[in-house]
Every structure is written in C-alpha cells, then in structure tokens.
Amino acid sequence: MYSRVQRDACIACGLCQLCAPELFNYDAEGIAYYRPDHNQGTTPIPPEQLTAFKQAYRQCPTGAIKRQTQPFPPADKKST
Ligand code: F3S
C-alpha cells in the first residue's frame, strides 16, 4: 500500500500525525506530507505501520490522505 497527502485538500487539522507520527509530518505551514518519501508516494507503507495508517486515513476530515496499491505517479506541484 502506498500513500500520499493531497496537500491542497489538507486543512492542517493534525489528526494524521497524532495517529501515525512515523508516516505523517507537517511542513512550516502545517500542511501534512507522507514522511517516508517526502510525499512522493513511491515508498510502501511499512507493514507494522498499517494499523496506524488506517486510523489516520479514516480520521482525516477532508479525505486528503490518499492510498493505492501501486506507487503514485510523479507529483505535480499541488501534491508536493
Ligand atoms: Fe491534513 Fe488530514 Fe492530516 S486534513 S493534517 S491530512 S488528517
């Protein structure tokens, strides 16, 4: 499973980092990104982090956390 934050949808609520601090962090403006690969979406979620990931995924109020089984394509400016 791969993940990336759709950053133009993030409202900096902070829940994902509380649920999964290994997977999500914030930039200087409080907008989240996927930590393992700086929001490229090409590094799989470590198996031991999947439970935390699911909690973050479900809690995000805007659906900004994306997931898919294949690596994400190269990021455009909005998603990095
Ligand atoms: Fe943003 Fe959702 Fe996390 S709004 S801070 S990606 S929980």
Side-chain angles (χ1 to χ4, degrees):
M1 185 72 70
Y2 297 84
S3 181
R4 187 154 84 185
V5 176
Q6 184 186 332
R7 288 168 50 82
D8 59 356
C10 173
I11 57 170
C13 79
L15 283 173
C16 57
Q17 209 266 345
L18 284 176
C19 291
E22 300 289 321
L23 298 178
F24 298 101
N25 203 354
Y26 309 117
D27 65 15
E29 295 174 343
I31 304 300
Y33 63 90
Y34 179 67
R35 279 184 78 176
D37 56 19
H38 299 280
N39 217 44
Q40 296 305 299
T42 55
T43 300
I45 300 165
E48 70 274 12
Q49 291 292 325
L50 279 173
T51 299
F53 172 78
K54 286 176 187 168
Q55 289 178 350
Y57 181 83
R58 291 192 191 119
Q59 299 246 3
C60 178
T62 65
I65 298 172
K66 303 302 179 189
R67 65 175 183 180
Q68 61 184 44
T69 56
Q70 299 295 320
F72 283 79
D76 60 27
K77 285 188 177 177
K78 283 185 177 177
S79 59
T80 55

